[in-house]
Amino acid sequence: MPNVTYIQPDGKEITIEARDGDSVMETAVRNGVKGIIAECGGACACATCHVFVDETFMDKVGGPGDLEDDMLDGAAENRTDCSRLSCQIKMNAGLDGLRVRIASEQV
Amino acid sequence: MSERVLIIGAGQAGMQLAVSLREDGFTGSVTLIGEEPHGPYQRPPLSKAFLSGESDEESLELRSPAFYVENNIVVISDEQVVEVRWDAAHGTAVTSTGRLIPFDKLALTTGSSPRRLSIEGSELDGVLYLRDMADAKNLKRRWDKAEHVVVVGGGFIGLEVAAVARKAGKTVTVLEAADRLIARAVSETTSEFYRAAHERRGTRVRLGASISRFVGDGTKVTGVELDGGEVIPADIIMVGIGVIARGELATQLGLETVNGAIVVDSHARTSDPRVVAAGDAVLLPHPLTGDGQVRVESVQNAVDQAKLAAKTIMGGADEYRAVPWFWSDQADLKLQIAGLSNGYDATVLRGNPDDEKFSVLYYRAGRLIAIDSVNDVLDYMAVRKALGNGQTIPADQASDTSVALKTLVQD
């Protein structure tokens, strides 16, 4: 199963083995990773699971969809070219080793 | 002796309360008990991604079993608290298995249960409700074979199920007793939009529908008979006509309730200061104005109130203040609501509902109080932020879609 590493707002890194098909958000929340709030539970409705994807993975992860793009405009921490809502990134073998930095402000 | 907190009800609010106690540094014991056979999970996807097959049971789990162990939270599943009482020094909960659980502080996060229909035929196999995982599995088990789906009640849950059914190619009829859909929560403009949008997608919507009985073949439901005798064929009937707060245990404790809903103050305290309550089961002061009491049945309210209840248990004095927000996914339509529109006296329409992208802003005495946005995240986010900051948007400028709402926000 693919690994994903989270860089938490306090700077600590945590690596978790994700279930294939689970989102980066779900994997984080279920395992108590700090900083991902995910108030809406993954419906792309709240912009509280904002992460910055490691640049080297941006090609594989891809950019946000239209709705997600608008949500990111309203995110608490200013977006960058690597911003995604982690509920919209599904883990698979191709993303093994993925690194994301969690936005320090979510609400 | 360290303090023992018992949380009754292992839904979103109960889970959050337990987690927040630990995040806030609570060192006593935390026990979370729920009657369902598994730990806390997300309910909203049950009528959406779970039903359509895009998510499974494990992906809905709110926290992994290991998380609770690491955080020293005892989760008891498949066991119902049947009695709760205060003895001289502490409280005791008695469960369905006869277990006694002593506690010093109590949190009630008992949630709600679907309002049941009681008419001829309502006991027939195939008449279904949707609240918990067991309901969802029951619905899903019959889903693939069902060609004709009738939804009774044109509220959020019914319309969400209707949308999934229609997308799966089923014949879908929504029966609503009122003269418009989602009448309790949204304006006429939004209601009318959803009626038209569902019909465009092939769902039949019958407003002002009066059901006389469900008909069946003796065991299984086969249709719905309306007043006047018309029968609409149905392989399954999903009834979504609202929920009732579960206040039985609160009543046992002599706490103040209104129609079963547990009355709390702005600190999430019930009428007994040793007992807090949060989530769907609660009647709370208006979360933005403090004026009047409301029930807010949403994930947001469950989470935010539970966080506050945890602080109250630990001796904090914070008052509940949160912008209510809510969403509903129906087909490719994302409805997002911020604020509470109760008591509005004017609305402003922004955009064109025919484009399936628009917002309705609600005003009271000239101040913005809420928004419904369909497929317009930016409008929704702008209003949610404005309400959180106690700000407004001038009604006479809000309809101009050439100007971004966030640029119009003022004190």
Side-chain angles (χ1 to χ4, degrees), chain B residues 234-298:
Chain B
D235 300 310
I236 47 180
I237 296 176
M238 217 295 291
V239 182
I241 51 171
V243 295
I244 298 169
R246 297 187 59 179
E248 302 93 335
L249 295 175
T251 304
Q252 270 188 21
L253 288 168
L255 305 179
E256 187 187 354
T257 61
V258 175
N259 295 326
I262 308 164
V263 176
V264 299
D265 65 11
S266 58
H267 306 285
R269 272 190 313 238
T270 66
S271 54
D272 180 335
R274 296 168 294 186
V275 185
V276 295
D280 280 12
V282 157
L283 184 68
L284 67 153
H286 191 293
L288 280 175
T289 64
D291 294 335
Q293 293 170 309
V294 289
R295 281 188 64 206
V296 184
E297 297 151 23
S298 69

Side-chain angles (χ1 to χ4, degrees), chain A residues 32-44:
Chain A
V33 173
K34 292 188 175 59
I36 290 188
I37 297 174
E39 285 181 321
C40 76
C44 197

Side-chain angles (χ1 to χ4, degrees), chain A residues 76-98:
Chain A
E77 183 167 336
N78 285 340
R79 65 183 296 175
T80 72
D81 291 344
C82 295
S83 285
R84 290 291 311 267
L85 295 181
S86 56
C87 68
Q88 302 301 307
I89 307 172
K90 300 274 188 204
M91 286 304 291
N92 58 56
L95 290 181
D96 184 36
L98 175 66

